[in-house]
Amino acid sequence: MDFRYLFQPKTMAVIGVSLQNDQNPANVIFRKNLLRYPVKVYPVNPKGGVLQGETVFKQISDIPERIDLAVIAARAEQVPAILSQCIEAKVGGAVIISGGFSEIGRHDLQEQLAVLAKKADFPFVGPNCLGIYAPAIVDTFFLPIERMIRPESGNVAVVSQSGGILVDVMLKFKEEGIGLSLGVSIGNKALIREIDLLRYLEGDPATKVIAFYVEGFAKGEGRDFVLAAKACTKPVIMIKSGKSPGGSRAVSSHTASLAGDYEVFSQVMAQMGVVEAKNELELISFCEALSCYQTPIDGNVAIVTCSGGHGAITVDVCAAQGLQVPQLAPKEQELLKEGISDSIKNIASLSNPIDLTGSGVDEDFIAVASHLSAMPGIDCALMLLLPYTPGITSDLGARLSSIFQKAGKALIAYVPHVEKYEMMIEGFELNGVPVAHSIEAAVLMAAALKRCKPC
């Protein structure tokens, strides 16, 4: 199937707009795309008429040009006939927003859609979904534009069975400065499923990381997906619900999914190098780290800080995540000591974690970073910066980033996320270095780089 018309449409029809209720989901989708996106959009309603000054067409075949994408937001029992009309009109693909299918026991109605589409080689997303958010191209979410939080364009694609989870992830992406290449809510996934989008996104030049929220797979589908993820040339992250008996019942009623044996599935994902996120913090941290670095590490971490307490906490969190914080050899410590200021030579701790104390200045961090970036036994550095210490400046983020960029080694920063420190954070982020808002998130970023390596 050709997915280009789904994700890069130039023309779109919204089927099911209301002439009386402007808050109707179809109207919201039509209005936002008409006013905010370059896609040429047409409203469709069997009664015809005028909406937002635009002619409402009675059926999709009446539209005077070929339609790339149809968004269907009609009653469930009407959808098979509408889908047939789209196929006859040679539409490129569809998003079926409508609910009322397998999630309420109407498996027959959902199967009709799949049979029709397979016979015509016609791609559609859904039903029971929000559909597609392609930054600066198209947005089929029935959420008013003024209420949506939209991340910047970037290189992480997110595929989710739940529209609500996808919207929440997008909000977190915006907060953490993670860019999105594509967001797809697949709902009941009657036709297009995770494995189809994995294969499409592997070939998408705008996507470097692929993240999935999954509620369940059909029999044998999970195995095929994990094998495909192992063969994928891009990092794959998955978060799954339905881990408990109660969660399993919840996903069954949400998208009619079967949760399956979670423990077995989790172990297989780890063996295959699929990065499993256990919760939302892990998901966001993994996405941020892997959007910057796609090369796996062994997990030997150096910690640099100006606070002994921060260093100690970070060592504990690293241990819990299976990361090593190797002690530096006396010779290496001596080299570090030679590079730092005389004022801290006798008070700094240089064994790892490296504590430059509250008296450390920019040049001390630069000297230590230069050594660590060239040290063979270290494959990732965690830089814990507290901008309220008097000796460091807002330029330090950019200067440290440059050192690790030249060395080709991973650098992850922790800086408290408050507006006052934004300039230091930008110094890292503009140079492709992820910045965590907490110590735990910083360590999770390093863990992601290790977990994307197959066992």
Side-chain angles (χ1 to χ4, degrees):
M1 287 184 179
D2 187 349
F3 291 175
R4 287 176 299 169
Y5 296 117
L6 284 175
F7 302 128
Q8 300 174 36
K10 291 185 169 54
T11 54
M12 180 169 81
V14 181
I15 302 172
V17 296
S18 170
L19 299 178
Q20 287 82 38
N21 177 15
D22 213 30
Q23 300 307 311
N24 181 291
N27 291 48
V28 173
I29 297 166
F30 169 72
R31 187 168 57 248
K32 71 159 69 170
N33 283 280
L34 176 70
L35 300 176
R36 306 278 183 173
Y37 289 90
V39 62
K40 191 172 182 181
V41 58
Y42 297 93
V44 178
N45 181 299
K47 296 177 183 176
V50 176
L51 180 66
Q52 298 278 321
E54 302 289 325
T55 299
V56 177
F57 294 89
K58 294 184 178 180
Q59 53 187 356
I60 197 162
S61 58
D62 293 342
I63 298 173
E65 66 176 316
R66 185 181 184 278
I67 295 300
D68 291 339
L69 173 63
V71 179
I72 301 173
R75 289 200 299 273
E77 57 271 22
Q78 297 173 337
V79 174
I82 294 172
L83 197 66
S84 294
Q85 292 167 13
C86 290
I87 292 169
E88 290 172 9
K90 300 191 183 306
V91 172
V95 169
I96 302 176
I97 303 293
S98 314
F101 295 88
S102 286
E103 79 278 11
I104 61 164
R106 294 299 308 273
H107 303 292
D108 57 330
L109 202 54
Q110 183 164 305
E111 183 60 20
Q112 277 188 51
L113 304 180
V115 170
L116 278 170
K118 286 176 183 173
K119 187 177 179 182
D121 197 30
F122 179 86
F124 76 83
V125 171
N128 186 30
C129 70
L130 285 180
I132 297 162
Y133 176 79
I137 297 176
V138 69
D139 175 0
T140 73
F141 293 6
F142 54 84
L143 311 175
I145 192 78
E146 69 276 9
R147 298 188 191 179
M148 278 189 66
I149 304 295
R150 295 170 293 172
E152 302 296 326
S153 296
N155 61 20
V156 182
V158 181
V159 177
S160 173
Q161 274 194 266
S162 163
I165 293 291
L166 175 57
V167 173
D168 210 42
V169 167
M170 289 170 59
L171 189 155
K172 300 295 191 309
F173 273 27
K174 178 68 174 181
E175 288 179 347
E176 301 297 332
I178 306 168
L180 184 76
S181 60
L182 183 68
V184 188
S185 155
I186 57 176
N188 292 5
K189 53 178 181 179
L191 182 72
I192 294 177
R193 308 179 77 87
E194 288 88 355
I195 195 167
D196 304 308
L197 293 171
L198 176 68
R199 289 168 176 153
Y200 169 79
L201 292 166
E202 185 179 12
D204 175 25
T207 298
K208 289 187 177 180
V209 181
I210 311 166
F212 292 90
Y213 165 72
V214 177
E215 298 194 341
F217 289 115
K219 187 176 181 180
E221 185 186 8
R223 178 199 59 205
D224 294 342
F225 174 82
V226 172
L227 290 173
K230 180 189 177 186
C232 183
T233 55
K234 299 176 180 178
V236 177
I237 305 168
M238 175 182 283
I239 183 168
K240 190 178 181 309
S241 59
K243 302 171 186 173
S244 65
S248 182
R249 287 194 299 274
V251 300
S252 179
S253 64
H254 182 212
T255 53
S257 295
L258 298 174
D261 188 331
Y262 170 71
E263 289 302 329
V264 172
F265 187 65
S266 179
Q267 291 171 13
V268 172
M269 282 196 292
Q271 291 168 4
M272 298 295 182
V274 178
V275 183
E276 184 192 6
K278 298 280 195 327
N279 52 49
E280 188 181 60
L281 175 63
E282 289 195 358
L283 176 67
I284 301 302
S285 300
F286 293 171
C287 286
E288 185 169 2
L290 291 169
S291 72
C292 297
Y293 308 113
Q294 287 87 47
T295 302
I297 64 172
D298 292 329
N300 296 312
V301 174
I303 300 167
V304 184
T305 180
C306 54
S307 159
H310 283 72
I313 289 174
T314 307
V315 172
D316 285 343
V317 182
C318 282
Q321 291 296 330
L323 299 170
Q324 300 83 43
V325 185
Q327 291 277 300
L328 301 186
K331 184 178 178 182
E332 292 167 334
Q333 294 186 43
E334 196 56 39
L335 287 172
L336 292 178
K337 192 170 186 180
E338 289 175 6
I340 60 177
S341 308
D342 291 341
S343 59
I344 65 168
K345 282 186 191 299
N346 294 323
I347 57 175
S349 175
L350 302 173
S351 60
N352 198 18
I354 298 165
D355 176 13
L356 298 175
T357 79
S359 299
V361 298
D362 281 6
E363 297 310 320
D364 297 322
F365 284 89
I366 296 297
V368 168
S370 297
H371 282 296
L372 291 176
S373 67
M375 204 173 282
I378 298 296
D379 53 16
C380 178
L382 297 182
M383 197 67 63
L384 315 178
L385 293 185
L386 306 175
Y388 43 79
T389 52
I392 63 177
T393 72
S394 49
D395 292 334
L396 186 55
R399 295 180 68 189
L400 292 169
S401 303
S402 174
I403 292 168
F404 280 84
Q405 275 180 338
K406 289 175 183 172
K409 191 171 284 188
L411 171 65
I412 294 165
Y414 157 67
V415 180
H417 278 33
V418 295
E419 188 175 355
K420 188 184 288 288
Y421 307 144
E422 193 60 36
M423 190 176 293
M424 178 178 283
I425 293 171
E426 284 183 358
F428 284 113
E429 291 181 340
L430 292 174
N431 288 285
V433 172
V435 184
H437 65 272
S438 69
I439 290 173
E440 185 180 15
V443 174
L444 286 172
M445 290 181 185
L449 306 187
K450 182 180 180 183
R451 289 194 203 176
C452 70
K453 187 177 185 179
C455 295

